[in-house]
């Protein structure tokens, strides 16, 4: 039974079919509605519970710890790289989209030695090429990979890559942002040294806090590696370990919302339950859009149940801005494309939405296509 509310078309509140911020439940929003003192035992206990539950969700055994950090997901990724990739280290970044490239940009900004192994945006990184790159360069100490590249919605072969990285004696860092909580990822059995994710993707919390699950020995060894004071993951960790408190102003309401969102995640059946709902959302979305003539950018085999990229229709009457605005007027917010080579747009499958909301969005798309006179829905000829 789908218990999600159907979208009230009369409400002025939109449904977010975007990969963050995304639609969150009323109860998660309500959980924020009070004040907490950051040094109050109630809040310290809430923070400890949060760290513990996130670590468990990541399959982090006793060797792992969870370090939450204020900010959006990018803050956690930057803290992870700046802290764990030291000045004498070198990072191999696997990039098949904007988030992979962003990690390389962070290294450049922080003055960290790095090299990029690019693959096409519709193609997962080839584990054999990763193996060859590691064999060819002894200086590489770490490898970074994005589990689900939200640029397209492609799922990358993290487990195969992890096995190669481990066999070569290097350390793996995972940007697990967009799929954490919906696609399985087991830090200890992968294995990885650290993974980064945030409250406001598949966990359906509100934006404002992100976190890294990392090996405690790696954090202990990192010392003062971090080139930034506020994005020093080891410093943040030492703070939590010392007194259970946040180093700088705690995002109290955001933590409370995530605490509630984690209750709802567990009640839905954890990663399996959440993943099943998102897969259903994706399948209904893709089937409905294809029935209207749209084409997906990715082959089904590598399409994650997180966000789907569609080719813009060939019809000259199609204009993304007009399409977006007409959908927004009907209460549905979608996402522009982010590809370097293809004209596309994206629709998210994540957030507190179910099949009914996706079907509502499909009805709205159908109306808007009629309104705009878009008859040719397939992609433009290359
Ligand atoms: C959302 C996301 C991030 C973080 O983005 P923010 O806008 O900083 O929250 C990083 N990596 C991936 C793959 C993401 O989907």
């Amino acid at each position: 039974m789908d218990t999600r509310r159907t979208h009230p078309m009369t409400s002025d509140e939109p449904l977010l079919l975007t990969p963050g911020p995304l639609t969150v439940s009323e109860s998660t929003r309500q959980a924020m509605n009070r004040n907490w003192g950051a040094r109050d035992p109630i809040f310290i206990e809430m923070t400890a519970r949060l760290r513990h539950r996130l670590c468990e969700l990541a399959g982090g055994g006793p060797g792992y710890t969870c370090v939450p950090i204020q900010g959006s997901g990018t803050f956690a990724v930057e803290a992870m790289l700046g802290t764990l990739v030291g000045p004498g280290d070198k990072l191999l970044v696997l990039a098949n989209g904007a988030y992979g490239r962003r990690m390389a940009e962070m290294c450049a900004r922080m003055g960290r030695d790095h090299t990029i192994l690019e693959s096409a945006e519709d193609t997962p990184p080839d584990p054999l090429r990763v193996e060859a790159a590691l064999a060819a360069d002894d200086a590489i100490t770490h490898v970074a990979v994005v589990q689900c590249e939200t640029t397209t919605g492609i799922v990358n072969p993290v487990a195969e890559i992890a096995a190669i990285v481990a066999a070569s004696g290097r350390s793996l860092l995972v940007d697990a942002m967009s799929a954490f909580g919906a696609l399985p990822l087991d830090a200890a059995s992968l294995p990885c040294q650290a993974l980064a994710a945030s409250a406001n993707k598949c966990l359906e919390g509100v934006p404002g806090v992100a976190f890294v699950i990392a090996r405690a020995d790696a954090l202990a060894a990192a010392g003062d590696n971090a080139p930034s004071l506020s994005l020093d993951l080891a410093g943040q960790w030492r703070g939590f370990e010392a007194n259970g408190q946040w180093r700088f102003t705690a995002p109290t309401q955001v933590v409370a919302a995530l605490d509630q969102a984690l209750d709802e995640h567990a009640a839905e059946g954890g990663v399996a339950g959440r993943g099943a709902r998102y897969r259903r959302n994706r399948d209904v979305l893709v089937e409905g859009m294809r029935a209207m003539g749209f084409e997906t950018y990715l082959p089904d085999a590598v399409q994650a149940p997180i966000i789907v990229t569609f080719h813009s229709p060939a019809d000259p009457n199609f204009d993304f801005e007009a399409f977006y605005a007409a959908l927004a007027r009907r209460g549905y917010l979608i996402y522009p494309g982010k590809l370097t080579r293809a004209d596309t747009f994206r629709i998210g499958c994540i957030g507190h939405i179910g099949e009914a909301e996706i079907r509502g969005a499909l009805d709205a798309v159908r109306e808007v296509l009629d309104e705009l006179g878009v008859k040719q829905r397939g992609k433009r000829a290359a």
Side-chain angles (χ1 to χ4, degrees):
M1 259 278 283
D2 196 337
T3 55
R4 264 142 290 279
R5 79 199 144 90
T6 49
H7 181 48
M9 300 291 284
T10 50
S11 152
D12 62 356
E13 194 180 7
L15 259 195
L16 308 180
L17 301 174
T18 56
L22 41 73
T23 307
V24 305
S25 71
E26 186 60 32
S27 38
T28 290
R29 289 150 52 159
Q30 288 302 327
M32 292 189 285
N33 198 13
R34 63 158 282 183
N35 295 313
W36 285 270
R39 292 164 185 272
D40 193 279
I42 296 172
F43 185 70
I44 288 175
E45 161 66 22
M46 195 190 284
T47 298
R49 181 165 67 238
L50 182 76
R51 292 180 63 207
H52 176 74
R53 292 164 95 187
L54 291 172
C55 214
E56 285 214 316
L57 260 185
Y64 288 84
T65 187
C66 172
V67 188
I69 193 150
Q70 298 93 331
S72 82
T74 303
F75 292 60
V77 176
E78 194 156 358
M80 172 174 78
L81 298 187
T83 304
L84 297 177
V85 181
D89 295 336
K90 181 171 182 180
L91 180 69
L92 171 66
V93 180
L94 310 183
N96 57 345
Y99 292 100
R101 292 191 292 269
R102 185 180 290 177
M103 290 198 284
E105 192 184 339
M106 288 170 182
C107 287
R109 281 293 184 104
M110 295 189 288
R112 290 296 191 262
D113 198 9
H114 64 286
T115 181
I116 308 175
L117 186 63
E118 286 244 17
S119 47
E121 288 176 328
D122 60 356
T123 312
D126 178 354
L128 293 177
R129 282 183 66 206
V130 177
E131 194 165 30
L134 291 174
D137 188 350
D138 283 341
I140 295 170
T141 52
H142 294 73
V143 177
V145 64
V146 181
Q147 182 188 20
C148 168
E149 203 10 294
T150 322
T151 307
T152 54
I154 197 169
V155 60
N156 287 327
V158 175
E160 282 104 306
I161 288 162
I164 286 166
V165 172
S168 75
R170 275 47 169 247
S171 298
L172 183 69
L173 306 173
V174 183
D175 172 349
M177 202 69 58
S178 61
F180 187 83
L183 292 182
L185 191 71
D186 192 300
S189 68
L190 261 183
C192 68
Q193 186 176 77
L195 64 87
S198 89
N200 184 237
K201 295 242 165 132
C202 303
L203 296 179
E204 299 183 6
V206 303
V209 73
F211 55 90
V212 177
I213 314 288
R215 288 197 57 89
D217 54 7
L219 286 173
D224 292 325
N225 267 356
S228 156
L229 177 70
S230 56
L231 295 181
D232 178 355
L233 200 65
Q236 183 92 342
W237 175 60
R238 288 190 295 264
F240 285 126
E241 295 295 310
N243 57 17
Q245 295 175 20
W246 295 68
R247 263 190 318 162
F248 307 119
T249 300
T252 45
Q253 279 79 7
V254 177
V255 169
L258 183 53
D259 193 42
Q260 170 66 25
L262 285 171
D263 286 347
E264 296 177 16
H265 183 267
E268 192 175 358
V271 173
R274 177 99 0 134
R277 171 159 57 86
Y278 290 172
R279 274 190 295 280
R280 181 78 187 139
N281 287 351
R282 175 199 59 194
D283 293 346
V284 169
L285 174 68
V286 168
E287 194 188 299
M289 292 292 280
R290 281 183 179 154
M292 283 183 249
F294 285 96
E295 293 178 49
T296 57
Y297 172 75
L298 291 175
D300 290 350
V302 294
Q303 173 67 65
I306 305 298
I307 188 166
V308 181
T309 301
F310 295 97
H311 284 284
S312 293
D315 198 301
N317 285 335
F318 183 81
D319 167 62
F320 178 76
E321 296 305 330
F323 184 61
Y324 176 91
L327 286 174
R329 277 197 297 278
R330 287 165 172 81
Y332 299 94
L333 300 192
I334 64 166
Y335 228 48
K338 200 176 187 168
L339 298 193
T340 45
R341 302 170 78 91
D343 185 11
T344 57
F345 64 90
R346 294 176 290 169
I347 301 183
C349 318
I350 65 178
H352 190 69
I353 55 172
E355 186 177 335
E357 286 74 22
I358 296 289
R359 291 199 186 282
L362 288 167
D363 289 342
V365 168
R366 211 170 286 117
E367 279 177 33
V368 168
L369 291 175
D370 281 348
E371 182 179 301
L372 300 178
V374 176
K375 300 204 169 54
Q376 261 297 340
R377 286 92 183 254
K379 68 171 167 181
R380 288 188 189 122

